[in-house]
Amino acid sequence: QVQLVESGGGLVQAGDSLSLSCLYFGSVFNKYAMGWFRQAPGKEREFVAAISWNGGETGYADSVKGRFIISRDNPKNTAYLHMSSLKPEDTAVYYCAADSYGVGTPSDAYDYDYWGRGTQVTVSS
């Protein structure tokens, strides 16, 4: 079936940049819209960013707009989240997810069919 594996998390200081990768294993990657979500301790999982199947559309949470960029490389079966100007409140486990509908940039977790296990991002002040 489909498997998603995130990588790139770590401990950084406020103001630093960090890039996450999500490697897709399965059938046709380029039919899926891809999303990034995050969950901080004691909080619900929240939408961060999403990208349509061909990269033509992107969407962002207001909290990360202008600081995070989502992208994808379909031949490499990989989605990316480049994060800059990181803040302590960005600290969370970051998850990538795949939506088989493919079109648009869904922000609702229920739209996604497959999830990775997450990668920890910690931003110190």
Side-chain angles (χ1 to χ4, degrees), residues 29-44:
F29 175 64
N30 62 12
K31 80 169 190 176
Y32 290 92
M34 298 297 294
W36 286 94
F37 289 75
R38 66 187 182 186
Q39 187 166 19
K43 295 188 177 181
E44 293 187 353

Side-chain angles (χ1 to χ4, degrees), residues 11-15 86-89 91 122-125:
L11 172 63
V12 297
Q13 293 187 334
L86 282 162
K87 305 174 182 180
E89 51 263 45
T91 295
T122 303
V123 185
S124 64
S125 56

Side-chain angles (χ1 to χ4, degrees), residues 35-107:
W36 286 94
F37 289 75
R38 66 187 182 186
Q39 187 166 19
K43 295 188 177 181
E44 293 187 353
R45 189 171 299 191
E46 66 173 359
F47 170 74
V48 175
I51 188 167
S52 60
W53 69 275
N54 64 351
E57 297 179 69
T58 57
Y60 298 91
D62 287 343
S63 60
V64 306
K65 204 170 292 184
R67 299 188 299 123
F68 290 11
I69 297 175
I70 188 171
S71 62
R72 66 189 298 158
D73 186 337
N74 284 348
K76 293 185 177 179
N77 285 1
T78 304
Y80 304 95
L81 184 69
H82 179 69
M83 306 180 291
S84 60
S85 301
L86 282 162
K87 305 174 182 180
E89 51 263 45
D90 294 318
T91 295
V93 177
Y94 282 71
Y95 300 89
C96 72
D99 168 25
S100 61
Y101 183 59
V103 177
T105 56
S107 59

